[in-house]
C-alpha cells in the first residue's frame, strides 16, 4: 500500500459506529465477510451495502467463523465474521476457538446490548463477553463510537502479530448506532498488520549456534513441521534447510504442505497415523520441531518423541516451547527467520553434511516403496463400498497442483492427512486441527473457494459433519462458487463407531442419508458413487463445475472394524515393555 493509497479516499465527517467499522475494514481491504444480522449491527450492514463491500449471509454463525478462518488460512489475511447479540455471538465460539488453537488471524464483530438497558433482561441478552473471552486471543470491548477506528486497528495488530489468532470486537448497540464527527486522520491502518505474520522476530543468535552445532553433529536429523510453517510462509526456508543439509521433513496434519508431499525429502505424516515418519523419529539422533505444538495426535498421545533424542524446538510462542516434551535447545522466533538462520549457521559445512547423510537420505525411497507395497491393496482396492485409501488415491490423481483440499474433523481429515499428497508447498491441504470440530469441511470449503476463486477447491467431509452443515449448502449455492464437496458416507458417526467397536464391543449410533439427492434439491450438482471405478469421473465432474457446488456422495465402508486408517493407539492397551510407536 503506497502512502498516497493509504491517505487518499479517507472518509471524514459525521457517521455512525457501524459505518466507521465498515470504513476501517474497507481501508484494510478485507475479503468477503460472513455473518447473520441483528438489530445491533444493522448500521454496519447498511454501510457495507452502501460501500459495496462483499458480505455473505450464512445460516449459522459458527459457519461464518469457519469460513472466515479458512479464508484466512488461504490468504494469511484476517478473515472477518460477525454475529449479533447473544445467540449470534455464542454461535461464533467453536469457529473462533479453531482459529485460536490453529493460530489463524480472524476478526469477529459481535453486537452487544444497548448500554442504557443492559442487564434488564433484554431479548437475546447473555454474558457474551465472558463466554467469548477464552475463545479469542483478545476481546476488545468498544465503549465509544469515536474509538472504533483505533480499536479496529488494534484488532488487526493483535490478530496478525506473534502467534496470530482471532480477535473479537464486542460492539454495544448504542456504539454502533451512535454518531461521531470523525476526522480523515482517524482512518489509518498499519499496512504491515494486514497479513500474518505482521512482524518477524529472529531467535537469539547464541541459541541458533547451539542448535546448529547439535544438527551438525547429527547423523539422522529429522524436521518435524507443524502449522507454523504456513503461518510464517516459511516454505522456501524449510526447503532450503532440508536440501542444504539433507534433512528429511515429517509433518503434522496442519503442517502438511510445508514442503510438497511429493518431494523426495518428505517422509509424510507423523504421530497417530504415519507412513514411515514414526520409525524415522524412533531412529533419529536429532529432531528439529518447527511451528508445532507437539500435541496429542502429533505425539501419539505423548508417546513420541523418544525422550532420549535431542530436541530443538522453534516456535513463535515462547511458552509453547517444551510444553509437552523437554527440549535441548529452545529457539524463540518466527519459523521462517529461524530456519533461515539455521541454514546460514550451517552453510560452511553443508557439503560435508550432505555427503555424510547420503546413506541416510538414500533409505527414504526404499522405506517409502516398501510402505507403498504394503498399502497397495488398500490404495488400489476395487472393493465396494469404496475403500477410503482408494478414494485418497483418486484425489491424488484428480486434484491439480494448485488445488486446495479442505478436510473435515472425522475420518476425512485423518485418512487424507495420511494418504493425500500435496504437489507443491503451500496451503493446499486445510484441516481444522485447531479444535477438530466436525462440520468444518463445507463452510471451510466456502471460505477457501472465495479466497482463491480461480483455484479448484474440494472439501472432504464425513456424513455426520456434512449433516451438521447442510444448511450451508444453500450459502454455497448463493455465493456461486464451484466447490466440490466429497461426502465420505459411512452411514455413521464413524470415528465414534470405530472406537466403540474397538473398545466397547459395539453400542452403535448411526445415520444414513442420500446426500446427493439433497444437494440436487438445493440446486447443486449431486453424484452418488458406490463403484470405485466411478470416482475419477465423479471428481472430474465436480472439478469441472465452476458455477455451483457439487456434492459427491461416496459410499464407503460401514464396517466399524475397518474404518480406522491404522491402529489408533488409544484403542490399544499398552503394557510395560510394549512398543507403542
Ligand atoms: C462438533 C463435534 N462433535 C463431536 C465430535 C467428536 N467426533 C469426532 S469424529 C466424529 C464422527 C463424525 O462423523 P462423520 O462426520 O460422519 O465422520 P466419520 O468419522 O464417520 O468419517 C465425532 C462425532 C467432534 N469432533 N466435533
Ligand atoms: Mg460418517
Amino acid at each position: 500500500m503506497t502512502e498516497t493509497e493509504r491517505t487518499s479516499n479517507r472518509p471524514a465527517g459525521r457517521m455512525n459506529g457501524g459505518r466507521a467499522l465498515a470504513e476501517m475494514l474497507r481501508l484494510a481491504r478485507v475479503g468477503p465477510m460472513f455473518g447473520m444480522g441483528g438489530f445491533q449491527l444493522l448500521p454496519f450492514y447498511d454501510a457495507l451495502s452502501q460501500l459495496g463491500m462483499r458480505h455473505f449471509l450464512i445460516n449459522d454463525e459458527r459457519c461464518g467463523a469457519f469460513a472466515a478462518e479458512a479464508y484466512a488460512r488461504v490468504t494469511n489475511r484476517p478473515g472477518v465474521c460477525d454475529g449479533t447479540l447473544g445467540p449470534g455471538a455464542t454461535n461464533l465460539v467453536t469457529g473462533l476457538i479453531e482459529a485460536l488453537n490453529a493460530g489463524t488471524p480472524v476478526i469477529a464483530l459481535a453486537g452487544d446490548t444497548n448500554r442504557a438497558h443492559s442487564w434488564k433482561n433484554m431479548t437475546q441478552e447473555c454474558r457474551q463477553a465472558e463466554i467469548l473471552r477464552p475463545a479469542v486471543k483478545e476481546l476488545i470491548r468498544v465503549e465509544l463510537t469515536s474509538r472504533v477506528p483505533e480499536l479496529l486497528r488494534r484488532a488487526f495488530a493483535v490478530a496478525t502479530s506473534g502467534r496470530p489468532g482471532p480477535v473479537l470486537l464486542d460492539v454495544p448497540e448504542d456504539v454502533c448506532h451512535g454518531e461521531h464527527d470523525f476526522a480523515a486522520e482517524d482512518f489509518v491502518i498499519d499496512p504491515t498488520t494486514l497479513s500474518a505474520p505482521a512482524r518477524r522476530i529472529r531467535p537469539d543468535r547464541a541459541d541458533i549456534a547451539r542448535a546448529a552445532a547439535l544438527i551438525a553433529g547429527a547423523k539422522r536429523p529429522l524436521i518435524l513441521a507443524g502449522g507454523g510453517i504456513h503461518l510464517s510462509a516459511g516454505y522456501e526456508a524449510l526447503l532450503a534447510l532440508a536440501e542444504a543439509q539433507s534433512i528429511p521433513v515429517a509433518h503434522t496434519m496442519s503442517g502438511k504442505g510445508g514442503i510438497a508431499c511429493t518431494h523426495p525429502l518428505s517422509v509424510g505424516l507423523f504421530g497417530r497415523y504415519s507412513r514411515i515418519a514414526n520409525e524415522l523419529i524412533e531412529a533419529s539422533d536429532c529432531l528439529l520441531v518447527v511451528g508445532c505444538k507437539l500435541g496429542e495426535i502429533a505425539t501419539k498421545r505423548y508417546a513420541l518423541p523418544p525422550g532420549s533424542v535431542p530436541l530443538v524446538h522453534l516456535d513463535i510462542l515462547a511458552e509453547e516451547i517444551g510444553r509437552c516434551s523437554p527440549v535441548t535447545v529452545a529457539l524463540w522466533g518466527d519459523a521462517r527467520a529461524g530456519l533461515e538462520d539455521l541454514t546460514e549457521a550451517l552453510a560452511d559445512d553443508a557439503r560435508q553434511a550432505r555427503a555424510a547423510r547420503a546413506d541416510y537420505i538414500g533409505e527414504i525411497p526404499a522405506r517409502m516403496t516398501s510402505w507403498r507395497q504394503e498399502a497397495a491393496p488398500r490404495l488400489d482396492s476395487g472393493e465396494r463400498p469404496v475403500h477410503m485409501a482408494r478414494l485418497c488415491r483418486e484425489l491424488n490423481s484428480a486434484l491439480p497442483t494448485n488445488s486446495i483440499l479442505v478436510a473435515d474433523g472425522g475420518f476425512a481429515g485423518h485418512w487424507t492427512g495420511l494418504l493425500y499428497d500435496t504437489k507443491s508447498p503451500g496451503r493446499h491441504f486445510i484441516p481444522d486441527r485447531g479444535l477438530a470440530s466436525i462440520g468444518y469441511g463445507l463452510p471451510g470449503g466456502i471460505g477457501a473457494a472465495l479466497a482463491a476463486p480461480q483455484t479448484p477447491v474440494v472439501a472432504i467431509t464425513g456424513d455426520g459433519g456434512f449433516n451438521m452443515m447442510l444448511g450451508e449448502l444453500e450459502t454455497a449455492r448463493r455465493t456461486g462458487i464451484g466447490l466440490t464437496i466429497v461426502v465420505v458416507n459411512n452411514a455413521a458417526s464413524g470415528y465414534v463407531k470405530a472406537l466403540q467397536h474397538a473398545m466397547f464391543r459395539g453400542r452403535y449410533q448411526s445415520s444414513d442419508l442420500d446426500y446427493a439427492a439433497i444437494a440436487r434439491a438445493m440446486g447443486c450438482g449431486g453424484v452418488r458413487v458406490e463403484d470405485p471405478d466411478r470416482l475419477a469421473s465423479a471428481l472430474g465432474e465436480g472439478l469441472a463445475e465452476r458455477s455451483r457446488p457439487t456434492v459427491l456422495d461416496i459410499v464407503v465402508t460401514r464396517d466399524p472394524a475397518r474404518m480406522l486408517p491404522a491402529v489408533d493407539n488409544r484403542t490399544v492397551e499398552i503394557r510395560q515393555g510394549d512398543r507403542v510407536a
Side-chain angles (χ1 to χ4, degrees):
M1 197 183 287
T2 64
E3 186 55 24
T4 327
E5 277 178 313
R6 207 162 68 81
T7 50
S8 63
N9 297 323
R10 280 204 215 145
R14 194 159 185 81
M15 69 182 86
N16 60 41
R19 174 84 185 213
L21 282 169
E23 293 283 5
M24 279 301 285
L25 291 171
R26 188 169 69 123
L27 212 59
R29 297 201 190 146
V30 297
M33 294 166 262
F34 308 91
M36 184 183 278
F39 179 64
Q40 294 68 27
L41 291 183
L42 280 189
F44 168 65
Y45 274 52
D46 188 50
L48 294 178
S49 111
Q50 303 230 2
L51 293 169
M53 295 171 73
R54 289 221 291 171
H55 182 283
F56 293 104
L57 170 65
I58 37 72
N59 291 305
D60 177 332
E61 292 82 353
R62 173 181 45 165
C63 301
F66 281 155
E69 204 270 346
Y71 172 89
R73 288 205 208 192
V74 173
T75 59
N76 267 11
R77 296 166 68 85
V80 182
C81 57
D82 59 82
T84 192
L85 170 66
T90 58
N91 275 350
L92 291 170
V93 168
T94 306
L96 291 177
I97 301 179
E98 172 60 36
L100 181 69
N101 292 359
T104 315
V106 167
I107 291 178
L109 309 176
D112 208 333
T113 45
N114 186 317
R115 288 168 302 168
H117 301 297
S118 298
W119 307 124
K120 287 163 36 187
N121 299 324
M122 293 191 80
T123 178
Q124 294 180 213
E125 182 172 25
C126 70
R127 300 169 79 129
Q128 67 185 47
E130 281 140 285
I131 292 167
L132 283 155
R133 188 164 282 117
V136 292
K137 188 174 171 189
E138 188 163 299
L139 185 141
I140 301 173
R141 170 95 169 159
V142 189
E143 297 283 1
L144 288 171
T145 304
S146 60
R147 294 190 67 188
V148 164
E150 171 208 339
L151 294 176
L152 206 57
R153 237 181 345 263
R154 164 86 188 156
F156 274 89
V158 175
T160 58
S161 302
R163 181 203 271 172
V167 178
L168 185 102
L169 235 58
D170 190 59
V171 189
E173 172 196 308
D174 50 308
V175 169
C176 190
H177 289 247
E179 296 192 338
H180 175 75
D181 280 314
F182 287 94
E185 300 78 67
D186 291 328
F187 291 95
V188 285
I189 193 143
D190 179 349
T192 56
T193 64
L194 298 185
S195 64
R199 310 174 210 289
R200 295 184 191 271
I201 180 145
R202 314 197 88 85
D204 185 86
R205 247 189 291 171
D207 293 336
I208 287 284
R210 288 170 55 223
L214 207 59
I215 294 166
K219 295 190 171 66
R220 304 180 64 90
L222 183 65
I223 295 172
L224 305 181
I229 286 290
H230 294 291
L231 292 166
S232 96
Y235 309 114
E236 283 174 29
L238 177 61
L239 191 63
L241 178 65
E243 287 185 340
Q245 293 292 320
S246 283
I247 309 180
V249 181
H251 60 75
T252 62
M253 288 163 84
S254 303
K256 189 190 264 299
I259 66 170
C261 296
T262 48
H263 190 282
L265 285 171
S266 173
V267 297
L269 186 69
F270 71 93
R272 181 184 291 171
Y273 301 115
S274 150
R275 302 180 189 183
I276 62 168
N278 283 1
E279 57 195 58
L280 288 168
I281 291 176
E282 293 280 349
S284 174
D285 57 357
C286 178
L287 295 167
L288 170 56
V289 179
V290 184
C292 171
K293 294 182 287 190
L294 290 178
E296 177 187 352
I297 293 193
T299 59
K300 289 188 83 168
R301 218 172 234 231
Y302 315 103
L304 291 174
S308 53
V309 184
L311 199 103
V312 178
H313 194 171
L314 167 59
D315 204 277
I316 189 69
L317 213 56
E319 63 268 34
E320 207 59 54
I321 301 173
R323 179 169 172 162
C324 302
S325 307
V327 301
T328 318
V329 182
L331 297 179
W332 177 25
D334 173 74
R336 189 181 90 183
L339 289 166
E340 285 168 353
D341 289 354
L342 283 174
T343 305
E344 198 184 305
L346 289 161
D348 289 348
D349 301 323
R351 187 171 306 163
Q352 296 94 298
R354 284 199 299 275
R357 293 181 191 135
D359 287 350
Y360 169 44
I361 292 303
E363 284 174 26
I364 293 169
R367 281 181 190 259
M368 270 296 184
T369 305
S370 87
W371 168 78
R372 246 175 228 295
Q373 276 163 0
E374 189 269 318
R378 302 187 289 284
L379 291 164
D380 304 337
S381 166
E383 71 184 47
R384 295 171 66 160
V386 171
H387 199 292
M388 284 293 289
R390 171 69 187 270
L391 172 59
C392 292
R393 194 197 88 176
E394 298 288 341
L395 288 167
N396 282 340
S397 41
L399 268 58
T401 304
N402 67 337
S403 63
I404 297 171
L405 181 65
V406 180
D408 202 62
F411 280 133
H414 288 282
W415 277 94
T416 52
L418 180 66
L419 298 179
Y420 182 65
D421 285 332
T422 61
K423 299 164 189 85
S424 64
R427 288 279 200 187
H428 299 293
F429 178 71
I430 299 187
D432 61 321
R433 298 318 301 179
L435 192 58
S437 174
I438 62 166
Y440 180 87
L442 173 55
I446 294 173
L450 286 167
Q454 306 308 322
T455 305
V457 179
V458 176
I460 182 166
T461 173
D463 45 355
F466 189 56
N467 199 16
M468 237 176 206
M469 295 294 155
L470 265 181
E472 299 311 325
L473 207 48
E474 186 274 333
T475 311
R477 177 74 182 111
R478 206 164 4 91
T479 61
I481 48 171
L483 173 68
T484 304
I485 302 140
V486 175
V487 180
V488 287
N489 184 346
N490 55 15
S493 195
Y495 216 129
V496 175
K497 192 169 184 178
L499 292 177
Q500 287 167 339
H501 170 81
M503 303 172 76
F504 298 98
R505 285 159 204 249
R507 273 226 321 264
Y508 303 134
Q509 270 184 279
S510 308
S511 63
D512 202 0
L513 281 171
D514 183 349
Y515 293 109
I518 290 171
R520 283 193 298 271
M522 283 196 181
C524 305
V527 185
R528 186 173 170 101
V529 182
E530 300 183 40
D531 176 357
D533 292 332
R534 271 279 293 138
L535 283 170
S537 63
L539 283 166
E541 265 175 65
L543 289 168
E545 176 59 73
R546 299 301 298 151
S547 61
R548 61 175 187 163
T550 304
V551 178
L552 307 182
D553 177 18
I554 316 292
V555 180
V556 299
T557 188
R558 277 101 206 273
D559 178 357
R562 305 185 63 232
M563 287 180 178
L564 293 165
V567 176
D568 178 327
N569 62 308
R570 292 174 302 173
T571 65
V572 182
E573 199 187 325
I574 302 163
R575 292 184 201 87
Q576 211 168 17
D578 277 359
R579 187 184 149 95
V580 290

